[in-house]
Amino acid sequence: MLGQMQNHPLLISALITHAERHHADGEIVSRRVEGDIHRTDWATLAKRSRQVANALDADQLPAGTRVATVAWNGYRHMELYFGVSGSQRVLHTLNPRLHPQQLAWIINHAEDTVVCFDTTFTPLIAAVHSKCPTVKRWVALCDADKLPADSGIPNLVSYEGWLAAQSSNYRWPQFDENTASSLCYTSGTTGNPKGVLYSHRSTLLHAYAAALPDSLNLSARDAVLPVVPMFHVNAWGLPYAAAAVGCKLVFPGPAMDGKSIYELIEGEQVSLAAGVPTVWQMLLGHLQAGGLKFSKLNRTVIGGSACPPAMLTTFQDVYGVEVLHAWGMTEMSPLGTACTLKNKQLALDDAGRLKVRLKQGRVVYGVDMKIVDGEGKELPWDGRTYGDLLVRGPWIIDQYFRAEGDSPLVDGWFPTGDVATIDADGFMQITDRSKDVIKSGGEWISSIDVENVAMAHPAVAMAACIGMPHPKWDERPIVVVALKPGAELSRDDMLAFYEGKIAKWQIPDDVVFVQSIPLGATGKMMKVSLREQLKGYVLPGV
Ligand code: AMP
């Protein structure tokens, strides 16, 4: 017997229609590459999204056409989010921080037909366009009179000129909710990047889940600043969840430095900001240097890499900002877990609560997870036993784009490549990426634990722990440290700082000081580059 309820497909166009109808004057504020602050609202954004859809129709692009973006976070990027997917095309967000060769490889693999880019990236597009034969139209995200002159880019139009020719009357098509909506390639630290093709259904279910109180707790009363780029897993789904709840949105554009982010948070009375630890490090540095405070910010979502304890306590104890530590991946849309406490943990003392808050958290309903040993046997949830973390759920990848027939799943579960523990209350803690864990004398050392201690030292700006070959122990950890400007620290003082903070055998064998730690395209430490940089390094006494 079938249920007798209405069967509306879950489509991205319904989100923008809802935001327009119920939150018409809700603000969307963007710092632009032009240097100014631009203001619009949900009603205008919805209208212009329909113009985008009409422009794509005018170009006679069939359903499923890949329309790519190379853009910062801003209102035009949002219009493309809804106009492209809503009209049954696929929004492909490209990461501009990739090497031009890699970018061209991805454009060709995805067979992008249109590429829309911020004018900051004109030199990048000028360098790659001749290698991208599938692209029929290049759109510079600017006013008609600001089109880059003499760029040599063929079939180039300005976004505003492209839209101006179009009506804002458009009826969003209705289609199967399993239709592809957007495409994002993983950062691909080994081998070629892999495409993750989201559907309308997966995106809407993820948006509902992300807004829940024990997830990001979003409401119409929030002003949300996604510092996490819209080219990195759809800015963690925030554009969609924001449309669902009708909150104010604040976009940082290209300015991600501490001063610019602080000014935006204060100027726009941001209540929730989301980003990776490296961004918050710059922001906290700016606050500390200027003796500044926040007036309205009450939550930060920190994910993408482990949140160092020192960052969590500084946000909470010094600035009164609650840290929501979250974990996920491109293959998971990305939200998997968020660390919000149950009553039981709220009753703990400060130290007990901090210990829990540093974990990556509990699954958001919709995601299921387990840890397994090398043979695939499920391991206990005791908070101590660590194993490979596997996940499944309706917004988790089934197969990579154009790799059909080659399933990444193991018995229906997706192996995340992370190593984790899960405690009896379901709080998961990442101990490492499986390829970064240090195997010393049959025991595993978590590189994250070693890094966290170093990062708590006031002289340290960033620290990376990597394993080095050792004849007796297989591997021993070293810590690579970049100091804060003007700070001084000796090797011995760094090592002494570890005493009593982690087990003796987990203390690194050596400290290597560097100017800076290489960061990848999404702000994560690039341990592969670091290992290359340290080629020829030999542990003391070996
Ligand atoms: P990406 O697909 O580029 O977003 O990378 C996903 C990977 O980032 C995960 O598999 C984790 O290794 C790492 N990651 C994401 N969030 C966290 C977190 N809160 N703590 C530790 N690692 C994280």
Side-chain angles (χ1 to χ4, degrees):
M1 189 188 289
L2 290 177
Q4 296 178 324
M5 308 306 282
Q6 297 180 13
N7 189 6
H8 291 277
L10 300 172
L11 298 179
I12 286 171
S13 54
L15 288 172
I16 193 67
T17 303
H18 168 82
E20 178 180 28
R21 194 164 160 80
H22 300 281
H23 304 280
D25 60 356
E27 280 184 289
I28 318 273
V29 181
S30 314
R31 193 192 288 278
R32 304 200 297 178
V33 293
E34 287 90 331
D36 59 350
I37 300 266
H38 174 275
R39 293 178 183 279
T40 185
D41 54 32
W42 281 109
T44 312
L45 196 125
K47 185 172 142 260
R48 284 167 52 94
S49 301
R50 293 194 294 273
Q51 286 175 284
V52 169
N54 275 325
L56 297 168
D57 278 6
D59 279 352
Q60 300 185 323
L61 302 173
T65 297
R66 265 79 73 204
V67 177
T69 57
V70 188
W72 302 112
N73 292 7
Y75 66 103
R76 288 173 177 140
H77 207 168
M78 271 292 271
E79 292 156 9
L80 289 160
Y81 259 58
F82 292 100
V84 171
S85 304
S87 66
Q88 218 178 335
R89 280 102 185 177
V90 176
L91 179 85
H92 177 195
T93 50
L94 287 158
N95 186 336
R97 297 195 184 116
L98 293 175
H99 189 275
Q101 228 171 337
Q102 208 169 21
L103 202 68
W105 186 93
I106 294 175
I107 291 173
N108 286 316
H109 188 265
E111 296 191 340
D112 294 330
T113 305
V114 180
V115 177
C116 308
F117 61 96
D118 268 329
T119 49
T120 340
F121 304 118
T122 307
L124 179 61
I125 300 299
V128 300
H129 73 80
S130 62
K131 301 179 187 76
C132 305
T134 61
V135 181
K136 303 291 175 250
R137 175 169 310 284
W138 301 89
V139 181
L141 296 168
C142 63
D143 288 332
D145 59 351
K146 298 277 170 18
L147 202 59
D150 309 324
S151 65
I153 303 166
N155 301 318
L156 177 65
V157 292
S158 75
Y159 180 73
E160 295 301 335
W162 194 48
L163 286 206
Q166 303 301 328
S167 155
S168 61
N169 290 326
Y170 181 83
R171 188 186 286 272
W172 296 111
Q174 297 296 298
F175 45 85
D176 184 341
E177 64 187 21
N178 290 298
T179 302
S181 58
S182 65
L183 177 64
C184 183
Y185 280 69
T186 60
S187 30
T189 41
T190 51
N192 282 323
K194 290 185 276 211
V196 181
L197 188 62
Y198 309 102
S199 70
H200 286 257
R201 175 185 156 80
S202 70
T203 303
L204 264 86
L205 292 175
H206 181 269
Y208 275 115
L212 285 172
D214 271 355
S215 304
L216 309 185
N217 192 15
L218 294 180
S219 81
R221 295 167 296 285
D222 274 313
V224 177
L225 171 73
V227 186
V228 51
M230 290 168 80
F231 55 76
H232 186 205
V233 218
N234 304 317
W236 297 348
L238 281 168
Y240 307 115
V245 302
C247 61
K248 172 175 174 177
L249 269 175
V250 183
F251 288 123
M256 245 82 87
D257 60 287
K259 179 172 182 284
S260 305
I261 294 292
Y262 178 74
E263 284 172 2
L264 215 48
I265 288 176
E266 285 303 293
E268 299 303 326
Q269 296 286 285
V270 167
S271 58
L272 169 84
V276 295
T278 38
V279 162
W280 301 134
Q281 195 122 19
M282 292 191 283
L283 177 66
L284 290 176
H286 178 70
L287 269 103
Q288 279 152 0
L292 304 166
K293 293 269 181 222
F294 294 115
S295 55
K296 191 78 190 289
L297 187 74
N298 56 50
R299 285 145 34 238
T300 51
V301 185
I302 304 188
S305 310
C307 173
M311 179 172 288
L312 194 143
T313 48
T314 305
F315 262 121
Q316 292 196 172
D317 303 343
V318 182
Y319 298 108
V321 175
E322 186 192 333
V323 168
L324 182 66
H325 193 195
W327 166 86
M329 19 183 356
T330 308
E331 287 88 339
M332 300 176 67
S333 303
L335 194 55
T337 64
C339 196
T340 51
L341 305 191
K342 299 179 180 179
N343 282 331
K344 192 166 155 183
Q345 286 86 25
L346 279 174
L348 297 171
D349 62 9
D350 284 356
R353 279 203 306 270
L354 178 64
K355 221 170 139 201
V356 183
R357 292 211 104 107
L358 286 169
K359 300 192 177 199
Q360 277 70 11
R362 296 180 284 125
V363 286
V364 172
Y365 170 69
V367 174
D368 193 8
M369 69 180 173
K370 65 174 180 180
I371 43 173
V372 300
D373 66 13
E375 274 76 54
K377 191 166 95 7
E378 189 162 356
L379 294 168
W381 291 21
D382 58 13
R384 283 179 289 111
T385 311
Y386 44 79
D388 293 317
L389 180 65
L390 280 78
V391 290
R392 63 179 178 189
W395 55 83
I396 292 170
I397 192 163
D398 187 34
Q399 24 194 317
Y400 288 103
F401 185 49
R402 302 222 144 141
E404 289 79 359
D406 185 11
S407 174
L409 306 189
V410 179
D411 297 331
W413 293 77
F414 176 71
T416 62
D418 287 328
V419 177
T421 61
I422 306 176
D423 70 19
D425 292 309
F427 286 81
M428 182 274 286
Q429 183 157 30
I430 303 272
T431 51
D432 236 317
R433 282 302 283 169
S434 55
K435 59 182 180 352
D436 292 336
V437 81
I438 294 133
K439 291 157 191 130
S440 171
E443 293 288 343
W444 286 16
I445 298 173
S446 155
S447 64
I448 295 177
D449 285 350
V450 176
E451 285 154 12
N452 280 343
V453 175
M455 304 260 261
H457 193 287
V460 174
M462 204 172 282
C465 170
I466 51 180
M468 284 291 170
H470 191 282
K472 180 170 176 197
W473 304 113
D474 287 338
E475 276 185 333
R476 286 295 301 153
I478 64 162
V479 64
V480 185
V481 170
L483 294 177
K484 287 183 183 159
E488 284 180 18
L489 181 67
S490 71
R491 172 185 182 276
D492 289 349
D493 286 345
M494 179 78 264
L495 292 178
F497 190 69
Y498 275 94
E499 297 291 337
K501 298 196 174 77
I502 50 175
K504 258 200 154 40
W505 60 274
Q506 296 173 330
I507 296 178
D509 279 14
D510 198 11
V511 184
V512 175
F513 291 97
V514 292
Q515 281 298 318
S516 63
I517 306 264
L519 296 180
T522 52
K524 297 179 204 232
M525 293 191 286
M526 298 269 285
K527 294 198 180 170
V528 177
S529 316
L530 210 50
R531 284 196 187 95
E532 262 164 38
Q533 219 169 298
L534 294 173
K535 228 182 194 159
Y537 169 91
V538 181
L539 283 165
V542 170

